[in-house]
Amino acid sequence: MEAEASDSVLDWWESGEFPEQLVPKMGEMGFLGANLPTEYGASGVSNVAYGLIMYELERIDSGFRSFASVQGALVMYPIYRYGSEEQKRTYLPQLAAGQMIGCFGLTEHDGGSDPGAMKTRARRDGESYILNGVKMWITNGNIADIAIIWAKDDDDVVRGFVVPTDTPGFQANHIKHKMSMRASVTSELVMDEVRIPASQMLPETRGLSAPLSCLTQARYGIAWGALGALEAVYEDALSFSQHRSTFDKPIASRQLVQTKLVDMVTDHTNGLLLAWRLGVLKDAGTMHHTQVSMAKRKNVRVALNAARSAREILGGSGITLEHPTIRHMLNLETVDTYEGTHDVHTLILGRDITGHNALV
C-alpha cells in the first residue's frame, strides 16, 4: 500500500481526490482502530504501535492519517466505549476491515472550539429519535456509511447516535475549493427530521465528556502523525540542500540552512520522545487528557514550522508539488487547527497549571 500511496499521492492531492480503494487495504493491514481489542476484529496492538501507524500514514499525507484517525478514534472508539454489545458486534468488525466507513459529527458552524454550544437536537418520539441540525468540517462525510452524531436530547443532555447515512433526511455536502487536506473528504452534514430507532443511541453517552474523550483518542494519534510529516519535509529539505549549489558550494554548507535543519531534527527528536512517553502512559492507563493537549499542541506546531523552514530551503522549488513540502505545509495548517487549535490547547494547559479557566 505504501508504494502505491507514495507514488500517487501528488496526483490525488492535486485533483482533490481521496483514494477510497486503499480503505480495504488499510483494513487488511490492521490499521483501522488498531489499538482496540481483537474480539471485535481490531488488531489489538499497543498504543505505541498505534502511534507509529499514524506516524507512517501521515509521512505520506495527513489525509491518510486523518481517515484512519476518524475511523478508529472517532467512530470505532465511541462505539466500543459507549455502545451496546449489539452495536459493537454489528459495526466494529466491518469498520475494522474497511468494509464500512464512518464519520464523526460534533463540530457546527457556530461551535468549533465551543462544542457545548451545539444546536443539533435529538427529539424523542416513541421508540425513535428525530435529529435536526447541521455539522461542519466533517472528515469522511460524503463517503461514510454511518455517522456518529452528537446532539442534545429533550433534557439538554449531549448524546451520541449511530446514524446510517442513507436515512431519509440525512444529506452530506462536499466542501470544495480547499487548499489544504485535498486528499481527504471534508463535508457538511445536514439533518432534517432524520428518524432513527432509539436503539441507535449509544447508551452510555451522557454529557459532553463522551465526545471529548473521543477527541482525546484522536489527538493522541495526531501527536504521532505530525512527526511523520515533519520527517518528510526534513528529508526533502536535506536532500535538496545537498544537491543545490550557489556560489560553487552546496547550500547545505551555509550556516543559516544548517540552523534550520538542526532545528528540525531537534524538534523531531523531542516530539518523538514526547509521543513515545505519552504512549507508555496510555498503555499503563495513566495518561491524562491535558498531557495529550501538550503533545498535540507542541508536535503539530513544530511540524508546521519545520515545513515552513523546509519550504524556505527549497526556494522556488518549494512551491511545486514535485516536492512534498508545500503539500505537507498546507495540510498542517489544518492539523494545527482541528481537534483543538493551538490557542485552545494553550488555555487547557494553562487551566491545568493555574487552576484558572481562561476559556470562558
Side-chain angles (χ1 to χ4, degrees):
M1 190 194 89
E2 181 180 359
E4 178 184 357
S6 298
D7 291 343
S8 303
V9 66
L10 182 158
D11 295 327
W12 291 328
W13 195 94
E14 189 168 30
S15 63
E17 174 189 357
F18 174 74
E20 291 184 58
Q21 67 272 21
L22 295 185
V23 175
K25 295 181 181 180
M26 289 187 188
E28 290 172 13
M29 298 178 76
F31 289 172
L32 304 177
N35 54 348
L36 294 178
T38 56
E39 64 181 301
Y40 299 110
S43 299
V45 302
S46 72
N47 284 290
V48 172
Y50 169 82
L52 290 169
I53 293 171
M54 298 301 105
Y55 180 103
E56 291 299 333
L57 288 173
E58 194 143 4
R59 189 165 61 87
I60 301 171
D61 191 85
S62 297
F64 296 170
R65 194 269 313 143
S66 192
F67 173 86
S69 285
V70 169
Q71 185 85 342
L74 298 182
V75 178
M76 295 176 67
Y77 175 80
I79 293 173
Y80 171 72
R81 172 80 181 274
Y82 300 108
S84 66
E85 188 62 28
E86 181 181 357
Q87 289 168 340
K88 294 174 188 178
R89 299 206 176 275
T90 298
Y91 295 113
L92 291 180
Q94 294 184 76
L95 290 163
Q99 297 168 354
M100 176 182 285
I101 295 173
C103 66
F104 180 87
L106 177 64
T107 298
E108 299 184 358
H109 284 275
D110 299 324
S113 297
D114 182 14
M118 74 170 64
K119 298 177 181 177
T120 301
R121 307 296 302 199
R123 185 177 77 252
R124 186 67 185 252
D125 183 33
E127 294 303 310
S128 301
Y129 277 96
I130 299 175
L131 275 59
N132 285 281
V134 180
K135 302 294 184 178
M136 188 63 176
W137 307 117
I138 308 304
T139 298
N140 299 345
N142 280 82
I143 60 174
D145 301 293
I146 59 171
I148 305 297
I149 298 295
W150 300 94
K152 290 183 177 178
D153 66 12
D154 296 327
D155 296 320
D156 279 341
V157 176
V158 174
R159 300 283 196 171
F161 299 86
V162 183
V163 182
T165 58
D166 60 359
T167 305
F170 186 101
Q171 180 177 334
N173 300 317
H174 193 189
I175 297 173
K176 302 178 181 179
H177 311 301
K178 298 183 300 178
M179 290 306 296
S180 177
M181 300 293 281
R182 290 182 55 79
S184 175
V185 175
T186 312
S187 311
E188 175 192 55
L189 306 182
V190 180
M191 288 156 288
D192 182 11
E193 295 291 295
V194 173
R195 180 182 290 271
I196 58 172
S199 60
Q200 292 300 107
M201 184 180 75
L202 296 171
E204 300 302 318
T205 56
R206 179 178 289 273
L208 202 54
S209 62
L212 293 181
S213 72
C214 302
L215 293 177
T216 296
Q217 306 303 311
R219 290 163 179 165
Y220 169 78
I222 291 170
W224 281 91
L227 299 174
L230 199 165
E231 180 189 326
V233 300
Y234 163 74
E235 289 185 339
D236 191 26
L238 176 62
S239 175
F240 183 87
S241 69
Q242 290 173 327
H243 295 94
R244 168 68 169 161
S245 293
T246 59
F247 305 104
D248 298 321
K249 293 179 67 177
I251 63 172
S253 68
R254 311 298 178 188
Q255 290 180 347
L256 290 175
V257 171
Q258 289 185 6
T259 297
K260 291 181 172 68
L261 293 171
V262 167
D263 285 344
M264 290 182 209
V265 171
T266 303
D267 286 339
H268 182 271
T269 301
N270 288 338
L272 205 55
L273 286 168
L274 176 58
W276 168 79
R277 178 59 181 161
L278 200 62
V280 170
L281 293 173
K282 196 172 190 303
D283 280 331
T286 58
M287 184 187 78
H288 193 266
H289 72 89
T290 55
Q291 296 165 330
V292 181
S293 286
M294 177 183 287
K296 194 275 183 183
R297 173 184 181 273
K298 184 63 175 178
N299 286 1
V300 177
R301 183 54 61 93
V302 297
L304 177 56
N305 288 338
R308 291 169 176 168
S309 293
R311 214 290 310 154
E312 290 177 354
I313 292 172
L314 290 162
S317 298
I319 69 167
T320 73
L321 291 176
E322 300 303 320
H323 289 268
T325 290
I326 190 67
R327 174 169 52 81
H328 281 294
M329 188 184 84
L330 291 171
N331 285 341
L332 286 166
E333 290 286 353
T334 293
V335 180
D336 195 57
T337 299
Y338 72 12
E339 309 280 358
T341 66
H342 185 272
D343 288 347
V344 165
H345 285 298
T346 299
L347 298 182
I348 290 171
L349 289 165
R351 179 179 60 192
D352 190 57
I353 292 168
T354 68
H356 296 286
N357 186 7
L359 282 163
V360 294

